[in-house]
Structures are given as structure tokens and as C-alpha cells.
Coordinates of all heavy atoms in Angstrom, one line a residue:
D1 N 0.9 -1.2 0.0 CA 0.0 0.0 0.0 C 0.9 1.2 0.0 O 1.4 1.6 1.1 CB -0.9 -0.1 1.2 CG -1.8 1.2 1.3 OD1 -1.7 2.1 0.5 OD2 -2.6 1.2 2.3
P2 N 1.1 1.9 -1.1 CA 2.0 3.1 -1.2 C 1.6 4.2 -0.4 O 2.4 5.1 -0.1 CB 1.9 3.4 -2.7 CG 1.4 2.3 -3.3 CD 0.6 1.5 -2.4
S3 N 0.3 4.3 0.2 CA -0.1 5.4 1.0 C 0.5 5.3 2.4 O 0.5 6.2 3.2 CB -1.6 5.5 1.1 OG -2.1 4.4 1.8
K4 N 1.2 4.2 2.7 CA 1.8 4.0 4.0 C 3.2 4.6 4.1 O 3.7 4.9 5.1 CB 1.9 2.5 4.3 CG 0.6 1.8 4.4 CD -0.2 2.2 5.6 CE -1.5 1.4 5.6 NZ -2.6 2.1 6.1
G5 N 3.8 4.8 2.9 CA 5.2 5.4 2.8 C 6.1 4.6 1.9 O 5.7 3.8 1.1
V6 N 7.4 5.0 2.0 CA 8.4 4.3 1.2 C 9.5 3.8 2.0 O 9.8 4.3 3.1 CB 9.0 5.3 0.1 CG1 7.9 5.8 -0.9 CG2 9.6 6.6 0.7
V7 N 10.3 2.9 1.4 CA 11.4 2.3 2.1 C 12.6 2.3 1.1 O 12.4 1.8 0.0 CB 11.2 0.9 2.6 CG1 12.5 0.3 3.3 CG2 10.0 0.8 3.5
V8 N 13.8 2.8 1.6 CA 14.9 2.7 0.8 C 16.0 1.8 1.6 O 16.2 2.1 2.8 CB 15.6 4.1 0.5 CG1 16.9 4.0 -0.3 CG2 14.6 5.0 -0.2
I9 N 16.4 0.8 0.9 CA 17.4 -0.2 1.6 C 18.7 -0.1 1.0 O 18.8 -0.3 -0.2 CB 16.8 -1.6 1.5 CG1 15.4 -1.7 2.2 CG2 17.8 -2.6 2.2 CD1 14.7 -3.0 2.1
Y10 N 19.7 0.2 1.8 CA 21.1 0.2 1.3 C 21.8 -1.1 1.9 O 21.7 -1.4 3.1 CB 21.8 1.4 1.9 CG 21.3 2.7 1.5 CD1 20.3 3.4 2.3 CD2 21.6 3.3 0.3 CE1 19.8 4.6 1.9 CE2 21.1 4.5 0.0 CZ 20.2 5.1 0.8 OH 19.7 6.4 0.4
G11 N 22.3 -1.9 1.0 CA 23.0 -3.1 1.3 C 24.5 -3.0 1.0 O 24.9 -2.0 0.4
D12 N 25.2 -4.0 1.4 CA 26.7 -4.1 1.1 C 27.4 -2.9 1.6 O 28.3 -2.4 0.9 CB 26.9 -4.3 -0.4 CG 26.4 -5.6 -0.9 OD1 26.4 -6.6 -0.1 OD2 26.0 -5.7 -2.0
G13 N 27.2 -2.5 2.8 CA 27.9 -1.3 3.4 C 29.2 -1.9 3.9 O 29.8 -2.8 3.4
D14 N 29.8 -1.2 5.0 CA 31.0 -1.6 5.5 C 31.1 -3.1 6.0 O 30.0 -3.6 6.3 CB 31.4 -0.7 6.7 CG 31.7 0.8 6.3 OD1 32.0 0.9 5.1 OD2 31.6 1.6 7.1
A15 N 32.3 -3.6 6.0 CA 32.4 -5.0 6.5 C 32.0 -5.1 8.0 O 32.3 -4.2 8.8 CB 33.9 -5.5 6.4
C16 N 31.3 -6.1 8.3 CA 30.7 -6.3 9.7 C 30.5 -7.7 10.0 O 29.7 -8.4 9.3 CB 29.4 -5.5 9.8 SG 28.7 -5.6 11.4
D17 N 31.3 -8.3 10.9 CA 31.1 -9.7 11.4 C 31.0 -10.7 10.2 O 30.1 -11.5 10.2 CB 29.9 -9.8 12.3 CG 30.0 -9.1 13.5 OD1 31.2 -8.9 14.0 OD2 29.0 -8.6 14.1
G18 N 31.9 -10.6 9.2 CA 31.9 -11.5 8.1 C 30.9 -11.2 7.1 O 30.8 -11.9 6.0
G19 N 30.2 -10.2 7.2 CA 29.2 -9.8 6.2 C 29.3 -8.3 5.9 O 30.4 -7.7 6.0
H20 N 28.3 -7.6 5.6 CA 28.2 -6.2 5.3 C 27.0 -5.5 6.1 O 26.0 -6.1 6.2 CB 28.2 -5.9 3.8 CG 29.3 -6.3 3.1 ND1 30.5 -5.6 3.0 CD2 29.6 -7.5 2.4 CE1 31.3 -6.3 2.2 NE2 30.8 -7.4 1.8
T21 N 27.2 -4.3 6.5 CA 26.2 -3.6 7.2 C 25.1 -3.3 6.1 O 25.3 -3.2 4.9 CB 26.6 -2.3 7.8 OG1 27.2 -1.4 6.7 CG2 27.6 -2.5 8.9
K22 N 23.8 -3.2 6.7 CA 22.6 -2.9 5.9 C 21.9 -1.8 6.6 O 21.9 -1.7 7.8 CB 21.7 -4.1 5.7 CG 22.3 -5.2 4.9 CD 21.4 -6.4 4.9 CE 22.0 -7.6 4.1 NZ 23.1 -8.2 4.8
F23 N 21.3 -0.9 5.8 CA 20.6 0.3 6.4 C 19.2 0.4 5.7 O 19.3 0.5 4.5 CB 21.4 1.5 6.4 CG 20.7 2.7 6.9 CD1 20.6 2.9 8.3 CD2 20.1 3.7 6.1 CE1 20.0 4.0 8.8 CE2 19.5 4.7 6.6 CZ 19.4 5.0 7.9
A24 N 18.2 0.5 6.4 CA 16.8 0.7 5.8 C 16.3 2.1 6.3 O 16.3 2.4 7.5 CB 15.9 -0.3 6.2
L25 N 16.0 2.9 5.4 CA 15.3 4.2 5.7 C 13.8 4.2 5.3 O 13.5 4.0 4.2 CB 16.0 5.4 5.0 CG 15.4 6.8 5.1 CD1 15.4 7.2 6.6 CD2 16.1 7.8 4.2
R26 N 13.0 4.3 6.3 CA 11.6 4.3 6.2 C 11.0 5.7 6.3 O 11.3 6.3 7.4 CB 10.8 3.4 7.1 CG 11.3 1.9 7.0 CD 10.5 1.0 8.0 NE 11.0 -0.3 7.9 CZ 10.6 -1.2 6.9 NH1 9.7 -0.8 6.0 NH2 11.0 -2.4 6.9
V27 N 10.3 6.2 5.3 CA 9.6 7.4 5.4 C 8.2 7.1 5.3 O 7.6 6.8 4.3 CB 10.1 8.4 4.2 CG1 9.4 9.8 4.4 CG2 11.6 8.6 4.2
R28 N 7.5 7.3 6.5 CA 6.1 6.9 6.7 C 5.3 8.1 6.3 O 5.7 9.3 6.6 CB 5.8 6.4 8.0 CG 6.6 5.2 8.5 CD 6.3 4.1 7.8 NE 4.9 3.7 8.2 CZ 4.3 2.6 7.7 NH1 4.9 1.7 6.9 NH2 3.1 2.3 8.0
C29 N 4.1 7.9 5.7 CA 3.2 9.0 5.4 C 2.6 9.6 6.7 O 1.9 8.8 7.4 CB 2.1 8.5 4.5 SG 0.9 9.7 4.0
R30 N 2.7 10.9 6.9 CA 2.0 11.6 7.9 C 1.5 12.9 7.2 O 2.3 13.7 6.9 CB 2.8 11.9 9.2 CG 2.0 12.6 10.2 CD 2.6 12.7 11.5 NE 2.8 11.4 12.2 CZ 3.6 11.2 13.2 NH1 4.4 12.1 13.6 NH2 3.6 10.0 13.7
E31 N 0.2 13.0 7.0 CA -0.3 14.0 6.1 C -0.1 15.4 6.6 O 0.0 16.3 5.8 CB -1.9 13.8 6.0 CG -2.3 12.6 5.1 CD -2.6 11.4 5.9 OE1 -2.3 11.3 7.2 OE2 -3.1 10.4 5.4
T32 N 0.1 15.7 7.8 CA 0.2 17.0 8.4 C 1.7 17.4 8.8 O 1.9 18.5 9.2 CB -0.7 17.3 9.5 OG1 -0.4 16.4 10.6 CG2 -2.2 17.2 9.1
T33 N 2.6 16.5 8.7 CA 4.0 16.8 9.0 C 4.7 17.2 7.8 O 5.3 16.4 7.0 CB 4.6 15.6 9.7 OG1 3.8 15.1 10.8 CG2 6.0 15.9 10.2
V34 N 4.8 18.5 7.5 CA 5.5 19.0 6.3 C 7.0 18.9 6.5 O 7.7 18.5 5.6 CB 5.1 20.5 6.1 CG1 5.8 21.1 4.9 CG2 3.6 20.7 5.9
D35 N 7.6 19.1 7.6 CA 9.0 18.9 7.8 C 9.2 17.5 8.4 O 8.4 17.1 9.3 CB 9.6 20.0 8.8 CG 9.5 21.4 8.3 OD1 9.8 21.5 7.1 OD2 9.2 22.3 9.0
A36 N 10.2 16.7 8.0 CA 10.4 15.4 8.4 C 10.6 15.4 10.0 O 11.3 16.2 10.5 CB 11.7 14.9 7.8
A37 N 9.9 14.5 10.6 CA 10.0 14.4 12.1 C 10.7 13.1 12.4 O 10.3 12.0 11.9 CB 8.6 14.4 12.7
Y38 N 11.8 13.2 13.1 CA 12.5 12.0 13.5 C 11.8 11.1 14.4 O 11.1 11.6 15.3 CB 13.9 12.4 14.2 CG 14.6 11.3 14.8 CD1 15.4 10.3 14.0 CD2 14.6 11.0 16.2 CE1 16.0 9.3 14.5 CE2 15.3 9.9 16.7 CZ 16.0 9.1 15.9 OH 16.6 8.0 16.4
A39 N 11.7 9.9 14.1 CA 10.9 8.9 14.9 C 11.8 8.0 15.7 O 11.7 7.8 16.9 CB 9.9 8.1 14.1
S40 N 12.7 7.2 15.0 CA 13.5 6.2 15.7 C 14.6 5.8 14.9 O 14.7 5.9 13.6 CB 12.7 5.0 16.0 OG 12.2 4.4 14.8
L41 N 15.7 5.2 15.5 CA 16.8 4.6 14.9 C 17.0 3.3 15.6 O 17.0 3.3 16.9 CB 18.1 5.4 15.0 CG 19.3 4.8 14.4 CD1 19.2 4.6 12.9 CD2 20.6 5.7 14.7
T42 N 16.9 2.2 14.9 CA 16.9 0.9 15.5 C 18.0 0.0 15.1 O 18.3 -0.1 13.9 CB 15.5 0.2 15.2 OG1 14.5 1.0 15.6 CG2 15.4 -1.2 16.0
D43 N 18.7 -0.7 16.0 CA 19.7 -1.7 15.7 C 19.0 -3.0 15.6 O 18.4 -3.5 16.6 CB 20.7 -1.7 16.8 CG 21.8 -2.8 16.5 OD1 21.7 -3.6 15.6 OD2 22.9 -2.7 17.2
K44 N 18.8 -3.6 14.3 CA 18.0 -4.7 14.1 C 18.8 -6.0 14.3 O 18.3 -7.1 14.2 CB 17.5 -4.8 12.7 CG 16.7 -3.5 12.3 CD 15.4 -3.4 13.0 CE 14.3 -4.1 12.3 NZ 13.1 -4.1 13.0
G45 N 20.1 -5.8 14.7 CA 21.0 -7.0 14.9 C 21.6 -7.4 13.6 O 21.2 -7.0 12.5
D46 N 22.6 -8.3 13.7 CA 23.2 -8.8 12.4 C 23.7 -7.7 11.5 O 23.5 -7.8 10.3 CB 22.4 -9.8 11.7 CG 22.1 -11.1 12.5 OD1 23.0 -11.4 13.3 OD2 21.0 -11.6 12.3
C47 N 24.2 -6.6 12.1 CA 24.7 -5.5 11.3 C 23.7 -4.8 10.5 O 24.0 -4.2 9.4 CB 25.9 -5.9 10.5 SG 27.3 -6.6 11.5
A48 N 22.4 -4.8 10.9 CA 21.3 -4.2 10.2 C 20.7 -3.0 11.0 O 20.5 -3.2 12.2 CB 20.3 -5.1 9.8
Y49 N 20.6 -1.9 10.5 CA 20.0 -0.7 11.1 C 18.8 -0.1 10.4 O 18.7 -0.3 9.1 CB 21.1 0.4 11.3 CG 22.4 -0.2 12.0 CD1 23.4 -0.8 11.2 CD2 22.4 -0.2 13.3 CE1 24.4 -1.3 11.8 CE2 23.5 -0.7 14.0 CZ 24.6 -1.2 13.2 OH 25.6 -1.8 13.8
E50 N 17.9 0.5 11.1 CA 16.7 1.0 10.4 C 16.3 2.4 11.0 O 16.3 2.5 12.3 CB 15.6 0.1 10.6 CG 14.3 0.5 10.0 CD 13.2 -0.6 10.2 OE1 13.3 -1.7 9.5 OE2 12.3 -0.3 10.9
A51 N 16.1 3.4 10.2 CA 15.7 4.6 10.7 C 14.2 4.9 10.2 O 14.0 4.6 9.0 CB 16.6 5.8 10.2
T52 N 13.3 5.5 11.0 CA 12.0 5.7 10.5 C 11.7 7.2 10.8 O 12.0 7.8 11.8 CB 11.0 4.9 11.4 OG1 11.3 3.5 11.2 CG2 9.6 5.1 10.9
L53 N 11.2 7.9 9.7 CA 10.8 9.3 9.7 C 9.3 9.3 9.3 O 8.8 8.6 8.6 CB 11.6 10.0 8.7 CG 13.1 10.1 8.9 CD1 13.8 10.7 7.7 CD2 13.5 10.8 10.2
F54 N 8.6 10.4 9.9 CA 7.3 10.6 9.5 C 7.2 12.0 8.8 O 7.7 13.0 9.3 CB 6.3 10.6 10.8 CG 6.2 9.3 11.4 CD1 7.2 8.9 12.4 CD2 5.3 8.4 10.9 CE1 7.1 7.7 13.0 CE2 5.2 7.1 11.6 CZ 6.1 6.8 12.5
S55 N 6.6 12.0 7.6 CA 6.6 13.2 6.8 C 5.6 13.1 5.7 O 5.2 12.0 5.2 CB 8.0 13.5 6.2 OG 8.0 14.5 5.3
V56 N 5.2 14.3 5.2 CA 4.3 14.3 3.9 C 5.1 13.7 2.8 O 4.5 13.2 1.7 CB 3.8 15.7 3.6 CG1 2.8 16.2 4.6 CG2 4.9 16.7 3.2
H57 N 6.4 13.7 2.8 CA 7.3 13.2 1.7 C 7.2 11.7 1.6 O 7.6 11.1 0.6 CB 8.7 13.6 2.0 CG 8.8 15.1 2.1 ND1 8.5 16.0 1.1 CD2 9.2 15.9 3.1 CE1 8.7 17.2 1.5 NE2 9.1 17.2 2.7
G58 N 6.5 11.0 2.5 CA 6.3 9.6 2.5 C 4.9 9.3 1.9 O 4.5 8.1 1.6
C59 N 4.1 10.3 1.6 CA 2.8 10.2 1.0 C 2.8 10.1 -0.5 O 3.7 10.8 -1.0 CB 1.8 11.3 1.5 SG 1.7 11.4 3.4
P60 N 1.9 9.4 -1.1 CA 1.9 9.5 -2.6 C 1.7 10.8 -3.1 O 0.9 11.7 -2.6 CB 0.7 8.5 -2.9 CG 0.4 7.7 -1.7 CD 0.9 8.6 -0.5
L61 N 2.3 11.1 -4.3 CA 2.1 12.4 -4.9 C 0.8 12.6 -5.5 O 0.3 13.7 -5.8 CB 3.1 12.6 -6.0 CG 4.6 12.7 -5.6 CD1 5.6 12.8 -6.8 CD2 4.8 13.9 -4.6
G62 N 0.0 11.5 -5.7 CA -1.4 11.6 -6.2 C -2.3 12.3 -5.3 O -3.4 12.7 -5.7
C63 N -2.0 12.4 -4.0 CA -2.9 13.1 -3.0 C -2.4 14.5 -3.0 O -1.2 14.9 -2.8 CB -2.7 12.5 -1.7 SG -3.6 11.0 -1.5
A64 N -3.4 15.4 -3.3 CA -3.1 16.9 -3.5 C -2.6 17.5 -2.1 O -3.0 17.0 -1.1 CB -4.4 17.6 -4.0
R65 N -1.8 18.5 -2.2 CA -1.3 19.2 -1.1 C -2.0 20.6 -1.0 O -2.4 21.2 -1.9 CB 0.2 19.6 -1.3 CG 1.2 18.5 -1.4 CD 0.9 17.2 -0.7 NE 2.1 16.3 -0.6 CZ 2.2 15.1 -1.0 NH1 1.2 14.6 -1.6 NH2 3.3 14.4 -0.8
G66 N -2.1 21.1 0.3 CA -2.7 22.4 0.6 C -1.6 23.4 0.3 O -0.4 23.1 0.1
A67 N -1.9 24.7 0.5 CA -0.9 25.8 0.4 C 0.2 25.7 1.3 O 1.3 26.1 0.9 CB -1.7 27.1 0.5
D68 N 0.0 25.1 2.4 CA 1.1 25.0 3.4 C 1.9 23.7 3.2 O 2.8 23.4 3.9 CB 0.6 24.9 4.8 CG -0.3 23.8 5.2 OD1 -0.6 23.0 4.3 OD2 -0.6 23.6 6.3
G69 N 1.6 22.9 2.2 CA 2.3 21.6 1.9 C 1.7 20.4 2.5 O 2.2 19.3 2.2
S70 N 0.8 20.5 3.4 CA 0.2 19.4 4.0 C -0.7 18.6 3.1 O -1.4 19.2 2.2 CB -0.6 19.8 5.2 OG -1.7 20.6 5.0
V71 N -0.7 17.3 3.1 CA -1.5 16.4 2.3 C -3.0 16.6 2.6 O -3.3 16.7 3.8 CB -1.1 15.0 2.5 CG1 -2.0 14.0 1.7 CG2 0.4 14.7 2.1
C72 N -3.7 16.7 1.6 CA -5.2 16.9 1.7 C -5.5 18.2 2.6 O -6.6 18.2 3.2 CB -5.9 15.7 2.2 SG -5.5 14.2 1.2
S73 N -4.6 19.1 2.7 CA -4.8 20.4 3.4 C -5.0 20.1 4.9 O -5.5 21.0 5.6 CB -5.8 21.2 2.8 OG -5.6 21.5 1.5
G74 N -4.7 18.9 5.3 CA -4.9 18.6 6.7 C -6.3 18.3 7.1 O -6.7 18.2 8.2
H75 N -7.2 18.2 6.1 CA -8.7 18.1 6.2 C -9.1 16.8 5.6 O -10.2 16.7 5.1 CB -9.4 19.3 5.6 CG -9.1 20.6 6.2 ND1 -9.3 20.9 7.5 CD2 -8.5 21.6 5.6 CE1 -8.9 22.1 7.8 NE2 -8.4 22.6 6.7
G76 N -8.2 15.7 5.6 CA -8.6 14.5 5.0 C -7.4 13.5 5.2 O -6.4 13.9 5.8
S77 N -7.5 12.4 4.5 CA -6.4 11.4 4.5 C -6.1 10.9 3.1 O -7.0 11.0 2.3 CB -6.7 10.3 5.4 OG -7.8 9.6 5.0
C78 N -4.9 10.5 2.9 CA -4.4 10.0 1.6 C -4.8 8.6 1.6 O -4.3 7.7 2.4 CB -2.9 10.2 1.5 SG -2.3 9.8 -0.2
D79 N -5.7 8.2 0.7 CA -6.1 6.8 0.6 C -5.6 6.2 -0.8 O -5.4 6.8 -1.7 CB -7.6 6.7 0.6 CG -8.2 6.9 1.9 OD1 -7.4 6.9 2.9 OD2 -9.4 7.1 2.0
W80 N -5.3 4.9 -0.7 CA -4.9 4.2 -1.9 C -5.9 3.1 -2.2 O -6.3 2.3 -1.5 CB -3.5 3.5 -1.7 CG -3.0 2.7 -2.8 CD1 -3.1 1.4 -3.0 CD2 -2.3 3.3 -3.9 NE1 -2.6 1.1 -4.2 CE2 -2.0 2.2 -4.8 CE3 -1.9 4.5 -4.3 CZ2 -1.3 2.3 -6.0 CZ3 -1.2 4.7 -5.5 CH2 -0.9 3.6 -6.2
K81 N -6.3 3.1 -3.6 CA -7.2 2.1 -4.1 C -6.6 1.4 -5.2 O -6.1 2.1 -6.2 CB -8.5 2.8 -4.5 CG -9.3 3.2 -3.3 CD -10.6 3.8 -3.6 CE -11.3 4.3 -2.4 NZ -12.0 5.5 -2.5
S82 N -6.4 0.1 -5.2 CA -5.9 -0.6 -6.4 C -6.6 -0.3 -7.6 O -7.8 -0.4 -7.7 CB -5.9 -2.1 -6.0 OG -5.3 -2.9 -7.0
G83 N -5.8 0.0 -8.6 CA -6.4 0.3 -9.9 C -6.8 1.8 -10.1 O -6.9 2.3 -11.2
A84 N -7.0 2.5 -9.0 CA -7.3 3.9 -9.0 C -6.2 4.8 -8.6 O -6.2 5.9 -9.0 CB -8.6 4.1 -8.2
G85 N -5.4 4.3 -7.7 CA -4.2 5.0 -7.2 C -4.6 5.8 -5.9 O -5.5 5.5 -5.2
A86 N -3.9 6.9 -5.8 CA -4.0 7.7 -4.5 C -5.0 8.9 -4.7 O -5.0 9.5 -5.8 CB -2.7 8.2 -4.1
S87 N -5.7 9.2 -3.7 CA -6.6 10.3 -3.7 C -6.9 10.8 -2.2 O -6.8 9.9 -1.3 CB -7.9 10.1 -4.4 OG -8.7 9.0 -3.8
C88 N -7.4 11.9 -2.1 CA -7.8 12.4 -0.8 C -9.2 12.0 -0.4 O -10.1 12.1 -1.3 CB -7.7 14.0 -0.7 SG -6.1 14.7 -0.8
A89 N -9.3 11.5 0.8 CA -10.6 11.3 1.3 C -10.9 12.3 2.3 O -10.3 12.4 3.4 CB -10.7 9.8 2.1
C90 N -11.8 13.3 1.9 CA -11.9 14.5 2.7 C -12.8 14.2 4.0 O -13.7 13.4 4.0 CB -12.7 15.6 1.9 SG -11.7 16.1 0.4
D91 N -12.4 15.0 5.0 CA -13.2 15.0 6.2 C -14.5 15.7 6.0 O -14.7 16.4 5.1 CB -12.5 15.8 7.4 CG -11.2 15.1 7.8 OD1 -11.0 13.9 7.6 OD2 -10.3 15.8 8.4
A92 N -15.5 15.3 6.9 CA -16.8 16.0 6.8 C -16.7 17.6 6.8 O -15.8 18.1 7.6 CB -17.7 15.6 8.0
G93 N -17.3 18.2 5.9 CA -17.3 19.6 5.9 C -16.3 20.2 4.9 O -16.1 21.4 4.7
F94 N -15.5 19.3 4.2 CA -14.5 19.7 3.2 C -14.7 18.9 1.9 O -15.1 17.8 2.0 CB -13.1 19.5 3.8 CG -12.9 20.4 4.9 CD1 -13.0 19.9 6.2 CD2 -12.3 21.7 4.7 CE1 -12.9 20.8 7.3 CE2 -12.1 22.5 5.8 CZ -12.4 22.0 7.1
K95 N -14.3 19.5 0.8 CA -14.4 18.8 -0.5 C -13.3 19.3 -1.4 O -12.6 20.3 -1.1 CB -15.8 18.9 -1.1 CG -16.2 20.3 -1.4 CD -17.6 20.4 -2.0 CE -18.0 21.8 -2.3 NZ -19.3 21.8 -2.9
G96 N -13.2 18.8 -2.6 CA -12.2 19.2 -3.6 C -11.0 18.3 -3.6 O -10.8 17.5 -2.7
P97 N -10.1 18.4 -4.6 CA -9.0 17.5 -4.7 C -8.0 17.6 -3.5 O -7.4 16.6 -3.1 CB -8.3 18.0 -6.0 CG -9.3 18.7 -6.8 CD -10.3 19.3 -5.8
A98 N -7.9 18.8 -2.9 CA -7.1 19.0 -1.8 C -7.9 19.2 -0.4 O -7.3 19.6 0.6 CB -6.1 20.1 -2.0
C99 N -9.2 18.9 -0.5 CA -10.0 19.1 0.7 C -10.0 20.6 1.2 O -10.0 20.8 2.4 CB -9.7 18.1 1.8 SG -9.7 16.4 1.3
T100 N -10.0 21.5 0.3 CA -9.9 23.0 0.8 C -11.2 23.7 0.8 O -11.3 24.7 1.3 CB -8.9 23.7 -0.2 OG1 -9.3 23.5 -1.5 CG2 -7.5 23.2 0.0
K101 N -12.2 23.1 0.1 CA -13.4 23.8 -0.1 C -14.4 23.3 1.0 O -14.5 22.1 1.3 CB -14.0 23.6 -1.5 CG -13.1 24.1 -2.5 CD -13.7 23.7 -3.9 CE -12.6 24.2 -5.0 NZ -12.9 23.7 -6.3
G102 N -15.2 24.2 1.5 CA -16.2 23.8 2.5 C -17.4 23.3 1.8 O -17.7 23.5 0.6
G103 N -18.1 22.4 2.5 CA -19.3 21.7 2.0 C -20.3 21.7 3.0 O -20.0 21.9 4.2
S104 N -21.6 21.4 2.7 CA -22.6 21.2 3.6 C -23.6 20.1 3.2 O -23.6 19.7 2.1 CB -23.4 22.6 3.7 OG -24.1 22.9 2.5
G105 N -24.3 19.7 4.2 CA -25.2 18.6 3.9 C -24.6 17.3 4.0 O -23.4 17.1 4.2
G106 N -25.3 16.1 3.8 CA -24.8 14.8 3.9 C -24.9 14.1 2.5 O -25.2 13.0 2.4
D107 N -24.6 14.9 1.4 CA -24.8 14.4 0.1 C -23.4 13.7 -0.5 O -23.3 13.4 -1.6 CB -25.2 15.5 -0.9 CG -24.2 16.6 -0.9 OD1 -23.2 16.6 -0.2 OD2 -24.6 17.6 -1.6
G108 N -22.5 13.4 0.4 CA -21.3 12.7 -0.1 C -20.3 13.7 -0.7 O -19.3 13.2 -1.2
D109 N -20.5 15.0 -0.7 CA -19.5 15.9 -1.2 C -18.6 16.5 -0.2 O -17.9 17.5 -0.4 CB -20.3 17.1 -1.9 CG -21.0 18.0 -1.0 OD1 -21.1 17.7 0.3 OD2 -21.5 19.1 -1.4
G110 N -18.4 15.8 0.9 CA -17.5 16.3 2.0 C -18.3 17.0 3.1 O -17.7 17.4 4.0
G111 N -19.5 17.2 2.9 CA -20.3 17.9 3.8 C -20.7 17.1 5.1 O -20.4 17.4 6.2
G112 N -21.3 16.0 4.9 CA -21.7 15.2 6.0 C -21.0 13.8 5.9 O -21.1 13.0 6.9
A113 N -20.3 13.4 4.8 CA -19.8 12.1 4.7 C -18.4 12.3 4.0 O -18.1 13.2 3.2 CB -20.7 11.2 3.9
S114 N -17.5 11.3 4.2 CA -16.2 11.3 3.5 C -16.5 11.1 2.0 O -17.4 10.4 1.6 CB -15.3 10.2 4.1 OG -14.9 10.6 5.4
H115 N -15.6 11.7 1.2 CA -15.6 11.6 -0.3 C -14.2 11.6 -0.8 O -13.4 12.4 -0.4 CB -16.5 12.7 -0.9 CG -16.7 12.5 -2.3 ND1 -17.7 11.6 -2.8 CD2 -16.1 13.0 -3.4 CE1 -17.7 11.6 -4.1 NE2 -16.7 12.5 -4.5
S116 N -14.0 10.7 -1.7 CA -12.6 10.6 -2.3 C -12.6 11.4 -3.6 O -13.5 11.4 -4.4 CB -12.2 9.1 -2.6 OG -12.1 8.4 -1.4
W117 N -11.6 12.2 -3.7 CA -11.3 13.0 -4.9 C -10.1 12.6 -5.5 O -9.1 12.5 -4.8 CB -11.3 14.5 -4.5 CG -12.6 15.1 -4.1 CD1 -13.1 14.9 -2.9 CD2 -13.5 15.8 -4.9 NE1 -14.3 15.5 -2.8 CE2 -14.6 16.1 -4.0 CE3 -13.6 16.3 -6.1 CZ2 -15.7 16.8 -4.4 CZ3 -14.6 17.0 -6.5 CH2 -15.7 17.3 -5.7
R118 N -10.1 12.3 -6.8 CA -8.8 12.0 -7.5 C -8.1 13.2 -7.9 O -8.6 14.2 -8.4 CB -9.1 11.2 -8.9 CG -9.5 9.8 -8.6 CD -8.4 8.7 -8.5 NE -7.6 8.7 -9.6 CZ -6.3 8.4 -9.6 NH1 -5.7 8.3 -8.4 NH2 -5.5 8.4 -10.7
A119 N -6.8 13.3 -7.6 CA -6.0 14.5 -8.0 C -5.3 14.3 -9.4 O -5.2 13.2 -9.8 CB -4.9 14.7 -6.9

């Protein structure tokens, strides 16, 4: 599910205990974190290390950004649908590709129910 983020794995690093070090960088999708937020650095054992960051940079580009760079303008979530790709599922009261427009009522346009918009 690409809406969860991306992983970059570096292998064949420096020599380590008869093998080579490995490093995995995970950038997890967090719709409202415009600047990368450090989360953790883990020693996985056997010369393997993993760092995890939370940022909008881990979210699919198919989900529209607001003026401040936040995914779905901070008024929805980035959803992934097989065959359709990424789109914003707007919170109640918001609509549009980046969930920036106000809506009213319960007609599925972001007013009373969530609605997905393809960017």
C-alpha cells in the first residue's frame, strides 16, 4: 500500500562480522507533518540498522497538497485504491481535490460524509 510510505534499503555497506552492514530508511506518510519528524533509529542486529521518519514526503504524490504543503490540506487522509491510485478522502465539511473547499449537507460531497477526490 503506497499510502503507507516508502522504504529505501542500502545493502553491502562496511564489513561487519563476516558480512556487510545494511541500512533501511523508512519514510512513513503523515499528512500534516510538512518537515520530516525523526521517529526512531533501531539496531536490528546482524549489522542491520533502520531509521523511521514521519513526513508528507512519504505520502503518494497523487494526493493533493494544501498551500502549506500538508497532504489533503490537513482536512482528510491520503487513501490508496488498487487500480485507481491515490486520492484524498476529505473529512466532513470539506471537499475538492485537496479538501480545501467547504461543503454542507450529507450528500457525499464532503459535507456530511467522506468523499474521495482523484488528484
